[in-house]
Amino acid sequence: MKRPARIGVALAGGGPLGAIYELGALCALDEAITGLALADCDAYVGVSAGGFIAAALANGMSPREQCASFIENEGAAHDIFEPSLLMRPAWGEFARRLAALPAVAARALWVGALQRRSASATLEQLGHALPTGVFSGTGLEAQLRRQFTQPGRSNDFRQLRRKLVLVATDLDSGESAPFGLSGFDAVPISQAVQASSALPGLFPPVEIGGRFFVDGALKKTLHASVLLDDGLDLLICLNPLVPYDAAHAPRQRVLRGGEERIPRLVDGGLPVVLSQTFRTLIHSRLELGMKGYERSHPHTDILLFEPDHRDPEMFLANTFGYSQRRWLAEHAYRQTREQLRAQRPQIAAKLARHGLALDDEVLADHHRTLLRRPARRGLAALPSARAVRKLEQVLDDLEVALAARGA
């Protein structure tokens, strides 16, 4: 008798936007793949915002349950996630730096005035008084602790039925800290999520056992190898942040609120240029990593799901925004369903090797939505705008089909 396939899930980071995309995409996968229950896989690895989702999956919370608490703020009181948790000022960090200011100022005066060193050396001394983060992650940790200590769940890696790894970066050594693996499994899951998502500059480093940890994405985008080394049969990967391909984007397209897509990224100014730079850097690492995984683990099938590089909606969304969560989750859900339909032969072949299959009836239902009341966003929700987008989609699909037929 053939043993059941061993299936893992790897989730990359990307701030609140990344978590919203991953929830929408996971809901689409969960209902469209027959035989797959994403809250009952064999192993999970999460980085940054992906760690937040992975920890809940490993605790048996389905993508739909997480969507209800994180996107729609529904369900049990202990599961509802309030956006304000991520925006609480780091008062403790501010107080520590303020208390150190007199000593720091005295050293700066000594260096600048008495030792007559350069202005840059003086500013370097004053930099010691700057806070290491603006927002506190303690609210997030407390919320997750309440959530994971409910009956049937656990905040202890060692008590989970499924393998869970949450990757952070040791600030002092620069090495990865795979919380959940042997030697790193005594840390509470909620604290490991906080450490893995402590993006430098936004959140202060998290102290655990006398060491300080920051966002796990500093080392790698996905950290899938911690699961692949266990001999998985199938690994499902999600990466929410991709660079925008303006050169091959759809024809002039109306975005939310009637805004037209940016024909050249430089026209968007510094925020758009920095966003493209950051996304390109982390995605290039992901591409190298995926090629390495294929060589080092040839017997594991890997499925990667991420936003369309030509989609301006996901690119122009605020990476750390939360107010658009309903619309963005619905958008991610529908995009993932489109990807499943467009890549049906390749995806179905990999799934079939592990006793899984695409549900054609579910994928053919174009009226299916993620949310009961899908958000409508400005002019983009008007019938005329929807008709234009539908026409563009048909034309793009036709071009792909003709190209494939010609090949």
Side-chain angles (χ1 to χ4, degrees):
M1 182 176 177
K2 185 178 180 182
R3 66 170 177 81
R6 300 190 67 244
I7 302 173
V9 177
L11 304 176
L17 171 63
I20 291 168
Y21 167 82
E22 288 177 344
L23 282 178
L26 287 169
C27 285
L29 296 174
D30 209 35
E31 67 183 28
I33 301 178
T34 302
L36 175 68
L38 286 169
D40 194 24
C41 292
D42 295 274
Y44 304 88
V45 61
V47 183
S48 193
F52 172 88
I53 309 297
L57 288 173
N59 264 288
M61 295 181 64
S62 71
R64 282 282 179 175
E65 288 176 314
Q66 292 189 58
C67 183
S69 64
F70 188 68
I71 305 298
E72 300 192 85
N73 296 122
E74 296 178 352
H78 52 72
D79 283 342
I80 293 178
F81 188 91
E82 293 294 340
S84 59
L85 291 176
L86 299 174
M87 305 300 291
R88 293 178 179 176
W91 296 121
E93 174 68 5
F94 297 159
R96 283 190 293 272
R97 299 293 165 171
L98 185 61
L101 183 57
V104 170
R107 285 199 300 270
L109 179 63
W110 171 263
V111 168
L114 301 180
Q115 292 189 337
R116 298 184 181 277
R117 294 174 62 181
S118 65
S120 61
T122 303
L123 291 175
E124 181 180 351
Q125 291 297 320
L126 291 173
H128 295 171
L130 294 177
T132 56
V134 179
F135 302 112
S136 172
T138 56
L140 168 66
E141 191 278 330
Q143 165 66 23
L144 294 179
R145 187 173 357 107
R146 286 192 298 270
Q147 194 168 309
F148 296 155
T149 52
Q150 298 302 311
R153 303 174 187 169
S154 177
N155 200 32
D156 189 330
F157 286 102
R158 298 162 295 188
Q159 294 180 6
L160 292 176
R161 291 195 303 110
R162 310 160 183 92
K163 179 176 181 178
L164 171 65
V165 183
L166 303 172
V167 186
T169 303
D170 188 314
L171 182 63
D172 292 315
S173 69
E175 295 299 319
S176 296
F179 293 114
L181 294 185
S182 178
F184 291 88
D185 54 0
V187 177
I189 294 173
S190 56
Q191 196 172 24
V193 173
Q194 180 191 3
S196 179
S197 56
L199 184 64
L202 283 181
F203 298 95
V206 178
E207 184 178 5
I208 300 176
R211 301 191 68 82
F212 291 87
F213 299 90
V214 293
D215 198 311
L218 269 63
K219 286 288 289 184
K220 292 181 181 178
T221 303
L222 206 56
H223 288 277
S225 58
V226 298
L227 299 188
L228 290 169
D229 291 342
D230 282 351
L232 291 177
D233 300 302
L234 174 66
L235 181 65
I236 298 174
C237 305
L238 271 72
N239 171 53
L241 296 185
V242 298
Y244 178 49
D245 185 0
H248 298 93
R251 300 158 186 82
Q252 283 291 344
R253 179 176 178 177
V254 177
L255 303 182
R256 301 185 301 279
E259 177 188 5
E260 291 187 348
R261 73 173 178 85
I262 299 175
R264 297 182 308 169
L265 294 186
V266 70
D267 295 338
L270 181 61
V272 170
V273 172
L274 290 179
S275 176
Q276 180 77 336
T277 302
F278 175 71
R279 289 163 179 260
T280 301
L281 286 173
I282 63 174
H283 198 265
S284 63
R285 292 191 313 178
L286 174 65
E287 290 176 330
L288 290 174
M290 295 300 289
K291 292 177 181 177
Y293 298 148
E294 291 175 359
R295 291 192 301 268
S296 61
H297 301 83
H299 301 298
T300 301
D301 282 316
I302 300 176
L303 290 173
L304 173 64
F305 296 91
E306 56 186 13
D308 188 338
H309 291 238
R310 303 167 301 165
D311 180 12
E313 306 280 9
M314 288 298 296
F315 176 73
L316 291 176
N318 180 1
T319 303
F320 296 98
Y322 199 93
S323 60
Q324 305 174 77
R325 63 189 186 278
R326 287 176 54 82
W327 186 91
L328 287 170
E330 185 72 43
H331 186 66
Y333 172 84
R334 297 188 181 191
Q335 252 202 3
T336 304
R337 286 171 52 84
E338 289 177 8
Q339 183 178 351
L340 290 171
R341 287 192 290 263
Q343 301 177 16
R344 186 193 305 260
Q346 306 95 305
I347 293 176
K350 288 187 176 182
L351 293 175
R353 289 197 283 268
H354 311 292
L356 307 175
L358 290 175
D359 190 324
D360 292 333
E361 184 176 347
V362 168
L363 288 177
D365 183 3
H366 292 276
H367 298 290
R368 187 180 289 263
T369 61
L370 172 65
L371 307 175
R372 291 190 300 275
R373 302 177 303 279
R376 296 169 65 88
R377 300 293 299 179
L379 296 180
L382 295 175
S384 58
R386 293 200 301 269
V388 170
R389 289 200 302 273
K390 183 63 177 177
L391 176 60
E392 290 173 347
Q393 179 183 339
V394 171
L395 290 174
D396 290 338
D397 291 344
L398 180 59
E399 288 176 357
V400 172
L402 290 174
R405 186 180 182 85

